[in-house]
Amino acid sequence: MVTKPQKGIASSSSSNILFSEILAIQRAITLGCKYGIKIRFPHAFVMTFLFRRGLSLREKMRLVTKLTASHALNLSMFAGVYKATL
């Protein structure tokens, strides 16, 4: 018995590849952000509390949060751009 080739198989496989690439980029961005927070928060916390004299506790915590968010954003953007160019 001869079967006819199904229409749309090529387009569905190419859309699956595109979808998996988009998921890989999104995963890289997410993991870059998580890793940036995991690495930067303890370092910023210790360095701020050791070397930043004259700041209140609230100002120190704002600074730690700002530094952590900045590092997480930079690392996630780098990971996303890197994965998108592969």
Side-chain angles (χ1 to χ4, degrees):
M1 181 168 143
V2 178
T3 59
K4 294 182 182 180
Q6 296 178 355
K7 294 181 181 179
I9 288 179
S11 66
S12 70
S13 67
S14 65
S15 67
N16 286 340
I17 292 170
L18 179 63
F19 184 68
S20 67
E21 292 296 322
I22 290 171
L23 284 179
I25 293 168
Q26 187 230 356
R27 183 167 184 229
I29 291 170
T30 303
L31 292 178
C33 184
K34 286 181 182 179
Y35 188 72
I37 292 170
K38 179 181 169 183
I39 294 301
R40 183 61 177 189
F41 179 76
H43 180 264
F45 185 81
V46 169
M47 298 305 280
T48 299
F49 277 88
L50 283 178
F51 298 113
R52 293 287 179 138
R53 305 279 183 210
L55 295 177
S56 70
L57 181 62
R58 180 173 286 182
E59 290 170 334
K60 287 182 181 181
M61 290 309 294
R62 268 197 199 129
L63 182 61
V64 168
T65 304
K66 180 181 171 187
L67 291 171
T68 302
S70 172
H71 187 257
L73 178 65
N74 289 340
L75 194 56
S76 66
M77 294 293 283
F78 175 79
V81 169
Y82 180 78
K83 198 64 153 178
T85 58
L86 286 182

